[in-house]
Amino acid sequence: MKIISEKITLDTKGDCDIIDITPKISSLLKNYGLKTGIVNVFIPGATGALTTIEYEPGLLEDTKKMFRDLVSETCRYSHDEGNPDGNAPSHLRASLVGPSLTVPFGNGILETGTWQQIVFIDFDNRPRSRKLIVKIIGE
């Protein structure tokens, strides 16, 4: 059994930027030659999230619209009263999805569905440089 720690750096646009990180995770698995186990991806920070989605243009726009509809940018939020960043919606949206995701792999390949990709969503209201923590546990 091996435990491998890696980081993935992303430059994001913010504002519900959705980035497919599946190729980066698959590449890590290939580099280490592990056959079976799990991959956990975690974003340190409170305005980013990880999930899976079918990464196609229509659904990407629908997803962004869904988050904007669920958590309005025009509401008054207590967090913003003492915070000059004005990013309360970013925090609330990220809390709906969560900061981590675990995916199994077998035969050295992620065991995702045919149309399922691993994505990072940057909900912050500005561009960011993000570092995702990746833990691979397997053999």
Side-chain angles (χ1 to χ4, degrees), residues 41-107:
V41 188
F42 178 80
I43 176 62
T47 58
L50 290 144
T51 191
T52 62
I53 193 172
E54 180 180 346
Y55 195 81
E56 65 85 23
L59 194 54
L60 295 177
E61 287 307 311
D62 293 342
T63 301
K64 292 174 185 181
K65 181 182 181 318
M66 174 192 70
F67 283 114
R68 290 178 183 133
D69 289 348
L70 282 172
V71 182
S72 172
E73 294 174 6
T74 60
C75 286
R76 182 183 156 280
Y77 296 102
S78 297
H79 174 74
D80 289 341
E81 289 178 17
N83 183 341
D85 292 338
N87 66 352
S90 309
H91 289 282
L92 295 169
R93 291 171 182 160
S95 72
L96 290 172
V97 180
S100 68
L101 181 72
T102 300
V103 179
F105 63 92
N107 296 318

